[in-house]
Amino acid sequence: MDLSPAAANTLALALGYALGAIPFGLLITRRAGTADLRSIGSGNIGATNVLRTGRKELAAATLLCDMLKGTLAVIAARWLFGEDAAIAAGLGAFLGHIFPIWLKFKGGKGVATYIGVLLGLIWPVALVFCAVWLAVAIITRYSSLAALIASAVTPPLLLWLQQMPLAALFAILSAILWFKHRANIRRLLDGSEGRIGAKG
């Protein structure tokens, strides 16, 4: 497709946003006949809050869909417009998930879509992210802390790999992810954050 780089990146950003803004958690739980996800727990549309419905299979489906929409955005933009546009699409998908227009810009916290974008752009680093997340989650049983540490590790790792555009992208995504987890950070600091597998 014969487009200027600016036009290609703009279209890729829009494509990524459109895919990222699909609220799979809300759609999946609604289809399953559960209560409105926004009235449960944190009110978040992500997999962690879907798990609070007691339906592990719905949480797993949400996690997978929220990941794959980021991956699909990157792959589609790369195929249509090239590598630079793939980065723009990744940004768009992440922003779409967190700020979906269909839900008055009140979306998820972005962890699954972050992984999906990373998977589409540089999959070995996505594996490192998941390994760090799993190690921290097993040791501390804090899902939020695992996501925060894994996202903090990602940009320096990309810098070390000399992936400068990707390091810049994921520095931005990590900063947004940390901002969206600010309530979790407060609870971690005061000891009130819920642990994985805790009741109530």
Side-chain angles (χ1 to χ4, degrees):
M1 190 175 293
D2 190 15
L3 294 171
S4 69
N9 289 341
T10 300
L11 286 174
L13 185 71
L15 171 65
Y17 181 89
L19 287 170
I22 300 172
F24 281 112
L26 187 62
L27 296 175
I28 289 169
T29 52
R30 184 175 292 172
R31 177 74 175 176
T34 69
D36 189 320
L37 190 59
R38 293 166 294 182
S39 68
I40 297 171
S42 65
N44 195 273
I45 64 167
T48 299
N49 205 40
V50 174
L51 191 58
R52 294 188 177 103
T53 66
R55 301 282 298 275
K56 293 180 180 179
E57 75 280 8
L58 300 184
T62 300
L63 178 66
L64 182 63
C65 290
D66 283 346
M67 281 179 56
L68 290 182
K69 67 186 182 183
T71 306
L72 178 60
V74 168
I75 292 173
R78 180 184 290 124
W79 180 69
L80 289 169
F81 309 117
E83 194 61 36
D84 288 346
I87 294 174
L91 174 62
F94 187 78
L95 294 176
H97 177 74
I98 291 180
F99 306 112
I101 190 171
W102 323 115
L103 301 179
K104 300 180 180 178
F105 305 103
K106 296 178 181 178
K109 293 183 178 178
V111 178
T113 306
Y114 185 110
I115 297 170
V117 172
L118 194 56
L119 185 64
L121 289 170
I122 182 165
W123 65 265
V125 178
L127 297 183
V128 174
F129 181 104
C130 292
V132 172
W133 187 97
L134 187 61
V136 176
I138 289 172
I139 293 167
T140 69
R141 291 177 50 225
Y142 286 125
S143 176
S144 57
L145 182 61
L148 291 167
I149 292 177
S151 66
V153 166
T154 300
L157 176 57
L158 289 166
L159 275 176
W160 181 70
L161 293 171
Q162 298 185 343
Q163 297 285 340
M164 303 310 176
L166 296 185
L169 170 66
F170 283 96
I172 294 169
L173 301 195
S174 295
I176 297 171
L177 188 147
W178 274 63
F179 176 77
K180 290 294 291 184
H181 280 79
R182 60 196 184 280
N184 302 85
I185 294 170
R186 286 195 294 269
R187 290 193 295 270
L188 286 166
L189 291 173
D190 66 24
S192 62
E193 177 76 335
R195 292 180 186 266
I196 298 169
K199 301 296 184 182

PDB file of all heavy atoms in Angstrom, residues 51-86:
ATOM      1  N   LEU A  51     -12.185 -13.340  36.946  1.00  0.00           N
ATOM      2  CA  LEU A  51     -11.965 -14.459  37.860  1.00  0.00           C
ATOM      3  C   LEU A  51     -12.833 -14.330  39.106  1.00  0.00           C
ATOM      4  O   LEU A  51     -13.213 -15.341  39.717  1.00  0.00           O
ATOM      5  CB  LEU A  51     -10.483 -14.526  38.233  1.00  0.00           C
ATOM      6  CG  LEU A  51      -9.994 -15.775  38.969  1.00  0.00           C
ATOM      7  CD1 LEU A  51     -10.273 -17.036  38.145  1.00  0.00           C
ATOM      8  CD2 LEU A  51      -8.513 -15.653  39.269  1.00  0.00           C
ATOM      9  N   ARG A  52     -13.183 -13.108  39.465  1.00  0.00           N
ATOM     10  CA  ARG A  52     -14.014 -12.893  40.654  1.00  0.00           C
ATOM     11  C   ARG A  52     -15.456 -13.344  40.446  1.00  0.00           C
ATOM     12  O   ARG A  52     -16.225 -13.389  41.404  1.00  0.00           O
ATOM     13  CB  ARG A  52     -13.970 -11.412  41.059  1.00  0.00           C
ATOM     14  CG  ARG A  52     -12.599 -10.957  41.525  1.00  0.00           C
ATOM     15  CD  ARG A  52     -12.625  -9.552  42.111  1.00  0.00           C
ATOM     16  NE  ARG A  52     -11.307  -9.174  42.619  1.00  0.00           N
ATOM     17  CZ  ARG A  52     -10.461  -8.366  41.994  1.00  0.00           C
ATOM     18  NH1 ARG A  52     -10.796  -7.831  40.819  1.00  0.00           N
ATOM     19  NH2 ARG A  52      -9.293  -8.081  42.510  1.00  0.00           N
ATOM     20  N   THR A  53     -15.822 -13.668  39.223  1.00  0.00           N
ATOM     21  CA  THR A  53     -17.150 -14.246  38.983  1.00  0.00           C
ATOM     22  C   THR A  53     -17.184 -15.708  39.408  1.00  0.00           C
ATOM     23  O   THR A  53     -18.255 -16.315  39.455  1.00  0.00           O
ATOM     24  CB  THR A  53     -17.537 -14.160  37.490  1.00  0.00           C
ATOM     25  OG1 THR A  53     -16.656 -15.007  36.719  1.00  0.00           O
ATOM     26  CG2 THR A  53     -17.462 -12.737  36.980  1.00  0.00           C
ATOM     27  N   GLY A  54     -16.003 -16.284  39.678  1.00  0.00           N
ATOM     28  CA  GLY A  54     -15.918 -17.693  40.027  1.00  0.00           C
ATOM     29  C   GLY A  54     -15.813 -18.609  38.833  1.00  0.00           C
ATOM     30  O   GLY A  54     -15.798 -19.834  38.984  1.00  0.00           O
ATOM     31  N   ARG A  55     -15.692 -18.028  37.646  1.00  0.00           N
ATOM     32  CA  ARG A  55     -15.639 -18.814  36.413  1.00  0.00           C
ATOM     33  C   ARG A  55     -14.230 -18.744  35.827  1.00  0.00           C
ATOM     34  O   ARG A  55     -13.897 -17.819  35.075  1.00  0.00           O
ATOM     35  CB  ARG A  55     -16.676 -18.282  35.414  1.00  0.00           C
ATOM     36  CG  ARG A  55     -18.124 -18.306  35.915  1.00  0.00           C
ATOM     37  CD  ARG A  55     -18.725 -19.686  35.842  1.00  0.00           C
ATOM     38  NE  ARG A  55     -18.776 -20.165  34.466  1.00  0.00           N
ATOM     39  CZ  ARG A  55     -19.783 -19.876  33.626  1.00  0.00           C
ATOM     40  NH1 ARG A  55     -20.793 -19.108  34.009  1.00  0.00           N
ATOM     41  NH2 ARG A  55     -19.779 -20.376  32.389  1.00  0.00           N
ATOM     42  N   LYS A  56     -13.413 -19.719  36.171  1.00  0.00           N
ATOM     43  CA  LYS A  56     -12.020 -19.713  35.726  1.00  0.00           C
ATOM     44  C   LYS A  56     -11.904 -19.796  34.210  1.00  0.00           C
ATOM     45  O   LYS A  56     -10.993 -19.208  33.618  1.00  0.00           O
ATOM     46  CB  LYS A  56     -11.255 -20.863  36.377  1.00  0.00           C
ATOM     47  CG  LYS A  56     -11.080 -20.722  37.882  1.00  0.00           C
ATOM     48  CD  LYS A  56     -10.306 -21.895  38.457  1.00  0.00           C
ATOM     49  CE  LYS A  56     -10.140 -21.755  39.969  1.00  0.00           C
ATOM     50  NZ  LYS A  56      -9.404 -22.901  40.556  1.00  0.00           N
ATOM     51  N   GLU A  57     -12.817 -20.517  33.591  1.00  0.00           N
ATOM     52  CA  GLU A  57     -12.754 -20.657  32.138  1.00  0.00           C
ATOM     53  C   GLU A  57     -13.034 -19.333  31.431  1.00  0.00           C
ATOM     54  O   GLU A  57     -12.456 -19.037  30.381  1.00  0.00           O
ATOM     55  CB  GLU A  57     -13.715 -21.747  31.650  1.00  0.00           C
ATOM     56  CG  GLU A  57     -15.185 -21.395  31.636  1.00  0.00           C
ATOM     57  CD  GLU A  57     -15.882 -21.483  33.001  1.00  0.00           C
ATOM     58  OE1 GLU A  57     -15.180 -21.676  34.013  1.00  0.00           O
ATOM     59  OE2 GLU A  57     -17.113 -21.372  33.037  1.00  0.00           O
ATOM     60  N   LEU A  58     -13.903 -18.513  32.026  1.00  0.00           N
ATOM     61  CA  LEU A  58     -14.181 -17.195  31.447  1.00  0.00           C
ATOM     62  C   LEU A  58     -12.976 -16.267  31.613  1.00  0.00           C
ATOM     63  O   LEU A  58     -12.653 -15.488  30.715  1.00  0.00           O
ATOM     64  CB  LEU A  58     -15.413 -16.569  32.105  1.00  0.00           C
ATOM     65  CG  LEU A  58     -16.730 -17.337  31.996  1.00  0.00           C
ATOM     66  CD1 LEU A  58     -17.865 -16.524  32.614  1.00  0.00           C
ATOM     67  CD2 LEU A  58     -17.042 -17.686  30.556  1.00  0.00           C
ATOM     68  N   ALA A  59     -12.312 -16.366  32.765  1.00  0.00           N
ATOM     69  CA  ALA A  59     -11.108 -15.551  32.998  1.00  0.00           C
ATOM     70  C   ALA A  59     -10.004 -15.950  32.022  1.00  0.00           C
ATOM     71  O   ALA A  59      -9.314 -15.083  31.469  1.00  0.00           O
ATOM     72  CB  ALA A  59     -10.626 -15.731  34.439  1.00  0.00           C
ATOM     73  N   ALA A  60      -9.844 -17.260  31.792  1.00  0.00           N
ATOM     74  CA  ALA A  60      -8.818 -17.731  30.855  1.00  0.00           C
ATOM     75  C   ALA A  60      -9.122 -17.262  29.436  1.00  0.00           C
ATOM     76  O   ALA A  60      -8.218 -16.830  28.702  1.00  0.00           O
ATOM     77  CB  ALA A  60      -8.733 -19.249  30.898  1.00  0.00           C
ATOM     78  N   ALA A  61     -10.398 -17.317  29.053  1.00  0.00           N
ATOM     79  CA  ALA A  61     -10.790 -16.862  27.711  1.00  0.00           C
ATOM     80  C   ALA A  61     -10.555 -15.368  27.553  1.00  0.00           C
ATOM     81  O   ALA A  61     -10.090 -14.901  26.501  1.00  0.00           O
ATOM     82  CB  ALA A  61     -12.256 -17.195  27.463  1.00  0.00           C
ATOM     83  N   THR A  62     -10.850 -14.609  28.608  1.00  0.00           N
ATOM     84  CA  THR A  62     -10.621 -13.162  28.568  1.00  0.00           C
ATOM     85  C   THR A  62      -9.139 -12.842  28.441  1.00  0.00           C
ATOM     86  O   THR A  62      -8.738 -11.997  27.639  1.00  0.00           O
ATOM     87  CB  THR A  62     -11.194 -12.501  29.836  1.00  0.00           C
ATOM     88  OG1 THR A  62     -12.603 -12.750  29.903  1.00  0.00           O
ATOM     89  CG2 THR A  62     -10.940 -10.994  29.830  1.00  0.00           C
ATOM     90  N   LEU A  63      -8.329 -13.529  29.232  1.00  0.00           N
ATOM     91  CA  LEU A  63      -6.882 -13.327  29.177  1.00  0.00           C
ATOM     92  C   LEU A  63      -6.352 -13.600  27.773  1.00  0.00           C
ATOM     93  O   LEU A  63      -5.583 -12.797  27.213  1.00  0.00           O
ATOM     94  CB  LEU A  63      -6.195 -14.257  30.183  1.00  0.00           C
ATOM     95  CG  LEU A  63      -4.670 -14.211  30.213  1.00  0.00           C
ATOM     96  CD1 LEU A  63      -4.175 -12.859  30.708  1.00  0.00           C
ATOM     97  CD2 LEU A  63      -4.120 -15.334  31.098  1.00  0.00           C
ATOM     98  N   LEU A  64      -6.773 -14.704  27.190  1.00  0.00           N
ATOM     99  CA  LEU A  64      -6.307 -15.070  25.860  1.00  0.00           C
ATOM    100  C   LEU A  64      -6.748 -14.052  24.809  1.00  0.00           C
ATOM    101  O   LEU A  64      -5.938 -13.613  23.977  1.00  0.00           O
ATOM    102  CB  LEU A  64      -6.830 -16.462  25.495  1.00  0.00           C
ATOM    103  CG  LEU A  64      -6.385 -17.014  24.139  1.00  0.00           C
ATOM    104  CD1 LEU A  64      -4.870 -17.183  24.113  1.00  0.00           C
ATOM    105  CD2 LEU A  64      -7.074 -18.343  23.858  1.00  0.00           C
ATOM    106  N   CYS A  65      -8.008 -13.651  24.851  1.00  0.00           N
ATOM    107  CA  CYS A  65      -8.521 -12.694  23.862  1.00  0.00           C
ATOM    108  C   CYS A  65      -7.871 -11.327  24.010  1.00  0.00           C
ATOM    109  O   CYS A  65      -7.545 -10.673  23.003  1.00  0.00           O
ATOM    110  CB  CYS A  65     -10.039 -12.581  23.978  1.00  0.00           C
ATOM    111  SG  CYS A  65     -10.939 -14.037  23.422  1.00  0.00           S
ATOM    112  N   ASP A  66      -7.673 -10.889  25.250  1.00  0.00           N
ATOM    113  CA  ASP A  66      -7.042  -9.587  25.467  1.00  0.00           C
ATOM    114  C   ASP A  66      -5.583  -9.600  25.028  1.00  0.00           C
ATOM    115  O   ASP A  66      -5.048  -8.574  24.582  1.00  0.00           O
ATOM    116  CB  ASP A  66      -7.154  -9.174  26.938  1.00  0.00           C
ATOM    117  CG  ASP A  66      -8.535  -8.656  27.306  1.00  0.00           C
ATOM    118  OD1 ASP A  66      -9.323  -8.372  26.375  1.00  0.00           O
ATOM    119  OD2 ASP A  66      -8.833  -8.533  28.506  1.00  0.00           O
ATOM    120  N   MET A  67      -4.928 -10.735  25.143  1.00  0.00           N
ATOM    121  CA  MET A  67      -3.562 -10.863  24.621  1.00  0.00           C
ATOM    122  C   MET A  67      -3.564 -10.840  23.098  1.00  0.00           C
ATOM    123  O   MET A  67      -2.830 -10.072  22.475  1.00  0.00           O
ATOM    124  CB  MET A  67      -2.927 -12.180  25.100  1.00  0.00           C
ATOM    125  CG  MET A  67      -2.403 -12.184  26.503  1.00  0.00           C
ATOM    126  SD  MET A  67      -1.706 -13.817  26.946  1.00  0.00           S
ATOM    127  CE  MET A  67      -0.497 -14.035  25.644  1.00  0.00           C
ATOM    128  N   LEU A  68      -4.404 -11.686  22.513  1.00  0.00           N
ATOM    129  CA  LEU A  68      -4.350 -11.881  21.068  1.00  0.00           C
ATOM    130  C   LEU A  68      -4.787 -10.657  20.274  1.00  0.00           C
ATOM    131  O   LEU A  68      -4.353 -10.472  19.142  1.00  0.00           O
ATOM    132  CB  LEU A  68      -5.191 -13.100  20.685  1.00  0.00           C
ATOM    133  CG  LEU A  68      -4.613 -14.454  21.130  1.00  0.00           C
ATOM    134  CD1 LEU A  68      -5.498 -15.597  20.661  1.00  0.00           C
ATOM    135  CD2 LEU A  68      -3.194 -14.632  20.609  1.00  0.00           C
ATOM    136  N   LYS A  69      -5.626  -9.807  20.867  1.00  0.00           N
ATOM    137  CA  LYS A  69      -6.000  -8.598  20.116  1.00  0.00           C
ATOM    138  C   LYS A  69      -4.787  -7.680  19.946  1.00  0.00           C
ATOM    139  O   LYS A  69      -4.643  -7.014  18.919  1.00  0.00           O
ATOM    140  CB  LYS A  69      -7.168  -7.875  20.769  1.00  0.00           C
ATOM    141  CG  LYS A  69      -6.919  -7.243  22.131  1.00  0.00           C
ATOM    142  CD  LYS A  69      -8.220  -6.701  22.714  1.00  0.00           C
ATOM    143  CE  LYS A  69      -8.011  -6.028  24.057  1.00  0.00           C
ATOM    144  NZ  LYS A  69      -9.308  -5.561  24.637  1.00  0.00           N
ATOM    145  N   GLY A  70      -3.890  -7.679  20.929  1.00  0.00           N
ATOM    146  CA  GLY A  70      -2.650  -6.917  20.780  1.00  0.00           C
ATOM    147  C   GLY A  70      -1.733  -7.529  19.744  1.00  0.00           C
ATOM    148  O   GLY A  70      -1.149  -6.830  18.905  1.00  0.00           O
ATOM    149  N   THR A  71      -1.625  -8.854  19.779  1.00  0.00           N
ATOM    150  CA  THR A  71      -0.778  -9.550  18.808  1.00  0.00           C
ATOM    151  C   THR A  71      -1.320  -9.376  17.393  1.00  0.00           C
ATOM    152  O   THR A  71      -0.554  -9.115  16.448  1.00  0.00           O
ATOM    153  CB  THR A  71      -0.703 -11.052  19.155  1.00  0.00           C
ATOM    154  OG1 THR A  71      -0.279 -11.196  20.511  1.00  0.00           O
ATOM    155  CG2 THR A  71       0.277 -11.772  18.242  1.00  0.00           C
ATOM    156  N   LEU A  72      -2.622  -9.534  17.235  1.00  0.00           N
ATOM    157  CA  LEU A  72      -3.239  -9.401  15.913  1.00  0.00           C
ATOM    158  C   LEU A  72      -3.057  -8.004  15.352  1.00  0.00           C
ATOM    159  O   LEU A  72      -2.781  -7.838  14.148  1.00  0.00           O
ATOM    160  CB  LEU A  72      -4.730  -9.743  15.997  1.00  0.00           C
ATOM    161  CG  LEU A  72      -5.529  -9.613  14.693  1.00  0.00           C
ATOM    162  CD1 LEU A  72      -4.966 -10.535  13.627  1.00  0.00           C
ATOM    163  CD2 LEU A  72      -6.998  -9.917  14.945  1.00  0.00           C
ATOM    164  N   ALA A  73      -3.192  -6.987  16.195  1.00  0.00           N
ATOM    165  CA  ALA A  73      -3.011  -5.604  15.732  1.00  0.00           C
ATOM    166  C   ALA A  73      -1.612  -5.406  15.162  1.00  0.00           C
ATOM    167  O   ALA A  73      -1.436  -4.804  14.093  1.00  0.00           O
ATOM    168  CB  ALA A  73      -3.259  -4.636  16.888  1.00  0.00           C
ATOM    169  N   VAL A  74      -0.620  -5.923  15.865  1.00  0.00           N
ATOM    170  CA  VAL A  74       0.772  -5.791  15.426  1.00  0.00           C
ATOM    171  C   VAL A  74       1.012  -6.538  14.117  1.00  0.00           C
ATOM    172  O   VAL A  74       1.594  -5.988  13.166  1.00  0.00           O
ATOM    173  CB  VAL A  74       1.718  -6.313  16.525  1.00  0.00           C
ATOM    174  CG1 VAL A  74       3.141  -6.463  15.992  1.00  0.00           C
ATOM    175  CG2 VAL A  74       1.705  -5.377  17.733  1.00  0.00           C
ATOM    176  N   ILE A  75       0.554  -7.770  14.052  1.00  0.00           N
ATOM    177  CA  ILE A  75       0.780  -8.589  12.858  1.00  0.00           C
ATOM    178  C   ILE A  75       0.065  -7.996  11.644  1.00  0.00           C
ATOM    179  O   ILE A  75       0.636  -7.932  10.539  1.00  0.00           O
ATOM    180  CB  ILE A  75       0.318 -10.039  13.113  1.00  0.00           C
ATOM    181  CG1 ILE A  75       1.235 -10.701  14.136  1.00  0.00           C
ATOM    182  CG2 ILE A  75       0.306 -10.839  11.810  1.00  0.00           C
ATOM    183  CD1 ILE A  75       0.769 -12.070  14.586  1.00  0.00           C
ATOM    184  N   ALA A  76      -1.174  -7.554  11.829  1.00  0.00           N
ATOM    185  CA  ALA A  76      -1.930  -6.980  10.714  1.00  0.00           C
ATOM    186  C   ALA A  76      -1.280  -5.698  10.209  1.00  0.00           C
ATOM    187  O   ALA A  76      -1.155  -5.488   8.990  1.00  0.00           O
ATOM    188  CB  ALA A  76      -3.368  -6.709  11.153  1.00  0.00           C
ATOM    189  N   ALA A  77      -0.849  -4.834  11.114  1.00  0.00           N
ATOM    190  CA  ALA A  77      -0.226  -3.575  10.708  1.00  0.00           C
ATOM    191  C   ALA A  77       1.112  -3.817  10.017  1.00  0.00           C
ATOM    192  O   ALA A  77       1.454  -3.138   9.038  1.00  0.00           O
ATOM    193  CB  ALA A  77      -0.043  -2.669  11.921  1.00  0.00           C
ATOM    194  N   ARG A  78       1.866  -4.792  10.516  1.00  0.00           N
ATOM    195  CA  ARG A  78       3.150  -5.128   9.877  1.00  0.00           C
ATOM    196  C   ARG A  78       2.905  -5.613   8.443  1.00  0.00           C
ATOM    197  O   ARG A  78       3.611  -5.234   7.512  1.00  0.00           O
ATOM    198  CB  ARG A  78       3.867  -6.198  10.691  1.00  0.00           C
ATOM    199  CG  ARG A  78       5.206  -6.604  10.080  1.00  0.00           C
ATOM    200  CD  ARG A  78       5.862  -7.733  10.850  1.00  0.00           C
ATOM    201  NE  ARG A  78       6.331  -7.294  12.158  1.00  0.00           N
ATOM    202  CZ  ARG A  78       5.967  -7.865  13.306  1.00  0.00           C
ATOM    203  NH1 ARG A  78       5.107  -8.873  13.312  1.00  0.00           N
ATOM    204  NH2 ARG A  78       6.458  -7.419  14.446  1.00  0.00           N
ATOM    205  N   TRP A  79       1.916  -6.445   8.260  1.00  0.00           N
ATOM    206  CA  TRP A  79       1.602  -6.991   6.940  1.00  0.00           C
ATOM    207  C   TRP A  79       1.106  -5.896   5.994  1.00  0.00           C
ATOM    208  O   TRP A  79       1.471  -5.865   4.823  1.00  0.00           O
ATOM    209  CB  TRP A  79       0.549  -8.086   7.079  1.00  0.00           C
ATOM    210  CG  TRP A  79       0.156  -8.714   5.778  1.00  0.00           C
ATOM    211  CD1 TRP A  79       0.915  -9.526   4.980  1.00  0.00           C
ATOM    212  CD2 TRP A  79      -1.101  -8.551   5.108  1.00  0.00           C
ATOM    213  NE1 TRP A  79       0.208  -9.906   3.862  1.00  0.00           N
ATOM    214  CE2 TRP A  79      -1.032  -9.323   3.907  1.00  0.00           C
ATOM    215  CE3 TRP A  79      -2.274  -7.862   5.410  1.00  0.00           C
ATOM    216  CZ2 TRP A  79      -2.091  -9.396   3.011  1.00  0.00           C
ATOM    217  CZ3 TRP A  79      -3.337  -7.947   4.515  1.00  0.00           C
ATOM    218  CH2 TRP A  79      -3.240  -8.694   3.331  1.00  0.00           C
ATOM    219  N   LEU A  80       0.308  -4.968   6.520  1.00  0.00           N
ATOM    220  CA  LEU A  80      -0.260  -3.915   5.681  1.00  0.00           C
ATOM    221  C   LEU A  80       0.707  -2.772   5.411  1.00  0.00           C
ATOM    222  O   LEU A  80       0.770  -2.254   4.282  1.00  0.00           O
ATOM    223  CB  LEU A  80      -1.530  -3.354   6.337  1.00  0.00           C
ATOM    224  CG  LEU A  80      -2.758  -4.262   6.356  1.00  0.00           C
ATOM    225  CD1 LEU A  80      -3.828  -3.672   7.266  1.00  0.00           C
ATOM    226  CD2 LEU A  80      -3.301  -4.461   4.949  1.00  0.00           C
ATOM    227  N   PHE A  81       1.453  -2.370   6.444  1.00  0.00           N
ATOM    228  CA  PHE A  81       2.188  -1.109   6.347  1.00  0.00           C
ATOM    229  C   PHE A  81       3.679  -1.186   6.663  1.00  0.00           C
ATOM    230  O   PHE A  81       4.406  -0.235   6.391  1.00  0.00           O
ATOM    231  CB  PHE A  81       1.551  -0.071   7.277  1.00  0.00           C
ATOM    232  CG  PHE A  81       0.073   0.096   7.117  1.00  0.00           C
ATOM    233  CD1 PHE A  81      -0.789  -0.214   8.164  1.00  0.00           C
ATOM    234  CD2 PHE A  81      -0.468   0.566   5.933  1.00  0.00           C
ATOM    235  CE1 PHE A  81      -2.158  -0.049   8.039  1.00  0.00           C
ATOM    236  CE2 PHE A  81      -1.831   0.731   5.794  1.00  0.00           C
ATOM    237  CZ  PHE A  81      -2.686   0.418   6.848  1.00  0.00           C
ATOM    238  N   GLY A  82       4.138  -2.257   7.324  1.00  0.00           N
ATOM    239  CA  GLY A  82       5.552  -2.342   7.654  1.00  0.00           C
ATOM    240  C   GLY A  82       5.828  -2.311   9.143  1.00  0.00           C
ATOM    241  O   GLY A  82       4.925  -2.164   9.971  1.00  0.00           O
ATOM    242  N   GLU A  83       7.111  -2.411   9.498  1.00  0.00           N
ATOM    243  CA  GLU A  83       7.514  -2.587  10.889  1.00  0.00           C
ATOM    244  C   GLU A  83       7.233  -1.370  11.757  1.00  0.00           C
ATOM    245  O   GLU A  83       6.800  -1.505  12.909  1.00  0.00           O
ATOM    246  CB  GLU A  83       9.007  -2.929  10.950  1.00  0.00           C
ATOM    247  CG  GLU A  83       9.452  -3.450  12.297  1.00  0.00           C
ATOM    248  CD  GLU A  83       8.752  -4.738  12.693  1.00  0.00           C
ATOM    249  OE1 GLU A  83       8.494  -5.573  11.810  1.00  0.00           O
ATOM    250  OE2 GLU A  83       8.462  -4.892  13.894  1.00  0.00           O
ATOM    251  N   ASP A  84       7.493  -0.167  11.257  1.00  0.00           N
ATOM    252  CA  ASP A  84       7.213   1.034  12.052  1.00  0.00           C
ATOM    253  C   ASP A  84       5.734   1.125  12.390  1.00  0.00           C
ATOM    254  O   ASP A  84       5.345   1.503  13.502  1.00  0.00           O
ATOM    255  CB  ASP A  84       7.662   2.291  11.310  1.00  0.00           C
ATOM    256  CG  ASP A  84       9.178   2.430  11.260  1.00  0.00           C
ATOM    257  OD1 ASP A  84       9.858   1.717  12.014  1.00  0.00           O
ATOM    258  OD2 ASP A  84       9.664   3.249  10.464  1.00  0.00           O
ATOM    259  N   ALA A  85       4.896   0.780  11.426  1.00  0.00           N
ATOM    260  CA  ALA A  85       3.449   0.815  11.653  1.00  0.00           C
ATOM    261  C   ALA A  85       3.027  -0.236  12.670  1.00  0.00           C
ATOM    262  O   ALA A  85       2.063  -0.038  13.423  1.00  0.00           O
ATOM    263  CB  ALA A  85       2.705   0.610  10.339  1.00  0.00           C
ATOM    264  N   ALA A  86       3.746  -1.360  12.720  1.00  0.00           N
ATOM    265  CA  ALA A  86       3.440  -2.387  13.711  1.00  0.00           C
ATOM    266  C   ALA A  86       3.612  -1.846  15.127  1.00  0.00           C
ATOM    267  O   ALA A  86       2.825  -2.152  16.026  1.00  0.00           O
ATOM    268  CB  ALA A  86       4.338  -3.609  13.494  1.00  0.00           C
TER     269      ALA A  86
END
